[in-house]
Amino acid sequence: MIAMRTLLRTHLRPMSGDDITQVADIERESFPSMWPQTAYRRELSNQIARYTVLTELRDEAAPSADPSPRTGVFGTLRRIVSGEPSASHEHLLGFIGIWLMVGEAHIVTVAVRERFRRLGIGERLLITAIEQASAYDQERVTLEVRASNEAARRLYEKYGFINAGLRKRYYIDDNEDAVIMTTPEIASSGYRALFSNLRDAHGAHYRDLWE
């Protein structure tokens, strides 16, 4: 974990083409194999894809004052859904991508910059993906995860994902199996209560580290 001297000032927004170089850097730290940058450029014009980045704001990158009510969780979600343009000179800490399929939001990728891990950023990105799925009236959220990635699997299980099967030899770099995981119906009262409690607990736990 990095040594924290001040609060990390963070911002969630849609990924833009200007982010791809930093996204590639984070991927290089995170995965044995990488998508080519051209793939991300195609994804940004994919009608079913939604990519979100979490950035560290610096003074020159702070968003301009906006009198409209766009702060907080719902303001953040409005910015992401509406495709608010990026600010300049931002330092990307992590990103997540989902595909809006028929009845489900499928998480296709998520990664956090190495020296900013264990600060709750991956969990915040997962929360964002579930919020987006709800905003787009998806029934469930699904994903694949490496069978050996126990930390990620524990996080997904915490958010109600269950094991839904196995894709044998799914990862081309080492032929590792992928575990298919899915949530129950995210609009159900039980899941909404679980998710709300976890989101609130996450915010309370990390409020002394980042805002």
Side-chain angles (χ1 to χ4, degrees):
M1 181 183 293
I2 62 172
M4 303 299 298
R5 287 192 286 265
T6 59
L7 279 177
L8 279 174
R9 296 171 56 236
T10 60
H11 179 52
L12 282 162
R13 60 165 174 77
M15 184 189 295
S16 75
D18 292 339
D19 298 323
I20 292 175
T21 298
Q22 290 194 66
V23 165
D25 290 341
I26 296 171
E27 265 207 321
R28 192 173 296 110
E29 295 178 350
S30 304
F31 305 125
S33 58
M34 296 172 51
W35 281 13
Q37 294 190 21
T38 52
Y40 279 107
R41 294 194 185 280
R42 287 196 302 271
E43 281 291 274
L44 291 178
S45 60
N46 181 351
Q47 294 300 306
I48 69 168
R50 300 291 184 274
Y51 284 81
T52 301
V53 295
L54 188 144
T55 72
E56 178 189 8
L57 289 177
R58 294 160 181 176
D59 289 342
E60 65 271 23
S64 59
D66 185 345
S68 64
R70 299 172 69 86
T71 58
V73 170
F74 295 106
T76 295
L77 194 56
R78 280 195 294 272
R79 288 196 300 271
I80 293 169
V81 171
S82 66
E84 181 179 291
S86 64
S88 60
H89 304 106
E90 289 176 302
H91 182 54
L92 267 62
L93 305 185
F95 65 93
I96 194 165
I98 64 172
W99 287 346
L100 302 172
M101 314 291 279
V102 178
E104 72 177 47
H106 186 75
I107 296 175
V108 293
T109 186
V110 56
V112 176
R113 196 177 291 277
E114 186 172 15
R115 76 185 194 94
F116 287 88
R117 292 172 191 167
R118 296 181 295 280
L119 296 176
I121 290 171
E123 186 170 351
R124 184 65 189 92
L125 290 167
L126 177 61
I127 289 168
T128 298
I130 297 170
E131 289 172 338
Q132 285 182 293
S134 179
Y136 284 102
D137 296 322
Q138 301 298 295
E139 294 177 6
R140 291 176 175 83
V141 183
T142 64
L143 54 84
E144 290 98 9
V145 59
R146 285 181 182 268
S148 63
N149 193 343
E150 295 182 2
R153 290 171 64 180
R154 284 195 299 270
L155 174 62
Y156 300 140
E157 288 167 358
K158 174 181 172 181
Y159 277 80
F161 287 78
I162 61 171
N163 187 330
L166 198 68
R167 297 196 194 281
K168 301 292 289 185
R169 303 170 67 86
Y170 180 76
Y171 294 98
I172 60 173
D173 55 272
D174 61 0
N175 292 320
E176 184 174 359
D177 297 342
V179 178
I180 306 165
M181 303 189 76
T182 184
T183 64
E185 291 192 17
I186 60 176
S188 68
S189 58
Y191 190 81
R192 287 201 311 268
L194 170 71
F195 179 70
S196 178
N197 288 338
L198 289 171
R199 181 179 56 192
D200 291 348
H202 176 272
H205 183 73
Y206 289 102
R207 64 188 171 197
D208 292 333
L209 289 180
W210 52 291
E211 60 182 4

